[in-house]
Amino acid sequence: MRVQKDSLGFPHHHAFTEYSLVGMRHYLKLLWSVIDLKIRGGYSLTVHLPYEVQHPEFIRDLQRGISFIEFGELLKRMFGLRLYWENSPWLKPPKWELKYENTRWNRIPRDIDLCLDTGHLMLGQPYKEVFYVKLHDILKKRGKQIKHLHLSENNLKSDQHKHTRKILTERRLKKITRGRTSIWEYGS
């Protein structure tokens, strides 16, 4: 499991991930991630939202994704965790470009804590100004749910985990990180 520390030194864990539709391996890996977090200690655990929830117009099995989220929320309550669900649309290797479209936020439950990944959110946007509008819209509609941020930049086409601060300027970072934990995310 990948662990990255925030500016205060708190360790934020990334759950073991399956890059596929939800199946038994997802449940096992999530359970193992929770056990690993409890053994090693950590501040939070971030889990990718299921593709079934993020891409409802392409993958028509919403209930399978919702059931996985419910399982994660059950583990969160049982183990007293900070568990955050990350926008992580389906990407195609080797360039890590969008397989479908970006995350559809209308099907994501409104009663779960979220991790907003800025690098993922900017994928598929034609210009950085369009990303800014999208970021503002998501923060306005889901701001209370967003507890944690994965910060990175890219070329708007492929997930590159850059840290140039050309798109995420200091002023913008100060605004979006206020009241939230965050890490600068690096690739695995």
Side-chain angles (χ1 to χ4, degrees):
M1 178 171 4
R2 192 163 33 120
V3 179
Q4 291 179 266
K5 292 186 178 182
D6 64 23
S7 61
L8 298 175
F10 292 111
H12 297 272
H13 294 240
H14 297 251
F16 296 112
T17 303
E18 281 290 311
Y19 298 95
S20 62
L21 297 177
V22 172
M24 186 54 68
R25 291 175 59 97
H26 285 77
Y27 287 86
L28 294 172
K29 283 189 172 186
L30 180 51
L31 181 58
W32 177 244
S33 297
V34 168
I35 292 168
D36 189 58
L37 173 78
K38 294 305 277 186
I39 290 170
R40 291 169 53 184
Y43 186 82
S44 71
L45 178 66
T46 299
V47 183
H48 287 179
L49 282 161
Y51 294 146
E52 292 87 345
V53 173
Q54 296 184 88
H55 304 294
E57 66 278 9
F58 300 106
I59 305 162
R60 301 191 191 285
D61 196 352
L62 182 61
Q63 189 53 51
R64 181 190 303 217
I66 295 295
S67 294
F68 181 66
I69 290 171
E70 289 171 348
F71 176 71
E73 292 295 301
L74 175 65
L75 293 175
K76 176 181 178 176
R77 289 188 302 276
M78 285 175 56
F79 290 95
L81 306 173
R82 288 181 191 90
L83 187 144
Y84 308 129
W85 295 94
E86 176 184 356
N87 60 307
S88 184
W90 204 332
L91 304 177
K92 299 180 292 191
K95 293 186 179 183
W96 304 106
E97 296 172 334
L98 291 172
K99 180 174 181 173
Y100 297 115
E101 294 173 2
N102 209 312
T103 301
R104 297 291 188 188
W105 292 83
N106 60 328
R107 296 290 176 101
I108 296 172
R110 293 192 171 271
D111 60 348
I112 60 174
D113 293 332
L114 298 174
C115 166
L116 178 63
D117 187 302
T118 60
H120 293 163
L121 187 65
M122 64 181 66
L123 290 171
Q125 307 307 322
Y127 307 102
K128 69 179 181 180
E129 292 77 16
V130 177
F131 161 70
Y132 294 148
V133 170
K134 182 81 168 175
L135 177 62
H136 175 77
D137 186 52
I138 295 300
L139 289 171
K140 184 177 177 183
K141 291 179 180 174
R142 300 293 186 119
K144 291 181 180 175
Q145 281 183 271
I146 299 169
K147 309 293 187 200
H148 184 59
L149 299 165
H150 284 181
L151 303 169
S152 69
E153 299 170 325
N154 58 52
N155 62 1
L156 308 178
K157 296 178 185 169
S158 57
D159 196 22
Q160 301 170 320
H161 295 100
K162 289 185 176 183
H163 307 100
T164 63
R165 299 189 190 205
K166 290 181 180 178
I167 298 174
L168 295 174
T169 61
E170 288 302 319
R171 187 176 131 268
R172 197 168 303 279
L173 284 169
K174 190 174 183 179
K175 184 177 179 180
I176 68 173
T177 59
R178 189 177 303 123
R180 298 179 175 99
T181 56
S182 64
I183 59 166
W184 277 96
E185 189 174 33
Y186 297 89
S188 33

